[in-house]
Amino acid sequence: MSTPRLLEIRQGVLSKNDRLAAELRQRFHAAGVFVVNLLSSPGAGKTRLLEETLRRMGTDLRVAALVGDLATDNDALRLARSGAPVRQIQTGDMCHLEAHLVEQHLDGWNLDDLDVLFIENVGNLVCPTGYDLGEAARAVLLSVTEGEDKPLKYPGAFVSADCVVVTKMDLAEAVEFDQRAAEANIASVHPGVPIVYTSARTGAGLDAWMEWLEHHRCSSHR
Amino acid sequence: MHELSIAHSLIELATQAAAQAGVTRVTAVHLRLGVLAGVVKDALLFGFEIASAGTILEGARLEIEDLPLRIHCAACDTVVTLPDIQHFRCPYCGTPGNRIMSGRELELSALEYDDTVADSAGESYVNSATP
């Protein structure tokens, strides 16, 4: 008769990604690059926000972006108009970015020549959540057109956020966006997380977003 | 749907661990899964079945231990279990809290294997039959 035996392991399933992300984080830190991972559902306005962010930031700092999509390099082309170095990561059928994809796409870039690197993740509020990319900060976007209860439906993403950026505020009235409800829902899944309300179209709130970035950039170098 | 890629990572990890321990056939894989890990159990079970085909894990059961969300309540100065993942506040005193103590786990905890299968069945039969 056979006896079932147990081999204890206790290892994170994503430990390979975590290790690589930790190495990346060390490289970024050593080179003085502040890295921000942008997460949201598809169409929440990551690229639009990033266009404005690159344009504003680019006057004082050396900024670059990696942008993940399942297909097309449309977003990279849009972002490249800002003048910043931009690379598209096409994931094919993968719904999230992983640390090894980030590492591959840094090839040929001298990190010492950069101050800030944005990583625009694949539009998805579930899959990217568990994958560390070596970022110093994670911003999760919520557009007013998505509904105020999105944080309750996708708590995992909002829990992992260092900042929540509400986007498309210029449409708030048209879609009857209830800001108080949204704020309560965000606070319910992540008490104390900073929230900035923005419109990349009108420029409203972008100063607060830039301030948040600058504050975290400075504190990440300490 | 990233459960298939998680299944692949799980299988890679389990295969390596089994090989290191000299285990040649695994009968069950034990996984600890936090409620906040963002993994759909059924999709993972399905992905595991597909991705384990042709590996030493083929036919193995995937046993999933569900772990609840637990946070530290600063007011009670204790770790509390939350009934859902939508309300990060102490169920006893109502104080909001974001210090997560558990609930994000996605961890290969153990492998189960058959003793007889492990020490290459053919040889051990021959040995015991002809002392």
Side-chain angles (χ1 to χ4, degrees), chain B residues 4 28 63 92 114:
Chain B
L4 189 59
E63 300 265 354
Y92 304 103
D114 258 346

Side-chain angles (χ1 to χ4, degrees), chain B residues 108-129:
Chain B
L108 170 61
S109 55
L111 295 179
E112 233 176 86
Y113 61 98
D114 258 346
D115 218 3
T116 47
V117 181
D119 27 80
S120 109
E123 276 177 39
S124 58
Y125 277 128
V126 174
N127 288 345
S128 57

Side-chain angles (χ1 to χ4, degrees), chain B:
Chain B
M1 210 334 240
H2 64 313
E3 281 78 5
L4 189 59
S5 61
I6 286 179
H8 277 297
S9 301
L10 174 62
I11 286 157
E12 193 186 331
L13 200 63
T15 309
Q16 279 169 5
Q20 268 171 22
V23 172
T24 51
R25 225 185 127 234
V26 175
T27 53
V29 174
H30 291 259
L31 182 80
R32 300 173 78 231
L33 179 62
V35 69
L36 210 60
V39 171
V40 179
K41 218 156 89 170
D42 284 343
L44 183 61
L45 288 166
F46 182 65
F48 180 79
E49 206 181 310
I50 294 172
S52 62
T55 74
I56 60 165
L57 302 178
E58 184 167 341
R61 301 185 320 273
L62 178 57
E63 300 265 354
I64 299 176
E65 181 192 353
D66 294 301
L67 300 167
L69 174 60
R70 298 167 81 227
I71 64 165
H72 179 261
C73 173
C76 303
D77 194 21
T78 184
V79 176
V80 292
T81 301
L82 303 190
D84 60 52
I85 57 173
Q86 277 75 34
H87 305 91
F88 280 64
R89 68 174 80 100
C90 176
Y92 304 103
C93 74
T95 303
N98 57 21
R99 256 186 75 195
I100 297 173
M101 307 309 287
S102 73
R104 281 173 155 156
E105 296 81 356
L106 180 55
E107 184 191 273
L108 170 61
S109 55
L111 295 179
E112 233 176 86
Y113 61 98
D114 258 346
D115 218 3
T116 47
V117 181
D119 27 80
S120 109
E123 276 177 39
S124 58
Y125 277 128
V126 174
N127 288 345
S128 57
T130 54

Side-chain angles (χ1 to χ4, degrees), chain A residues 16-71:
Chain A
K16 195 171 154 191
N17 183 77
D18 290 344
R19 270 197 303 276
L20 191 53
E23 282 170 29
L24 281 175
R25 185 169 287 111
Q26 229 165 16
R27 267 176 73 190
F28 292 143
H29 189 79
V33 191
F34 174 56
V35 181
V36 185
N37 184 359
L38 294 176
L39 252 68
S40 82
S41 42
K46 288 185 297 303
T47 310
R48 188 73 183 89
L49 178 73
L50 201 46
E51 274 181 303
E52 282 307 309
T53 309
L54 294 179
R55 206 172 55 78
R56 286 169 182 240
M57 217 177 221
T59 53
D60 307 316
L61 296 167
R62 299 164 300 176
V63 193
L66 293 175
V67 47
D69 275 297
L70 277 82

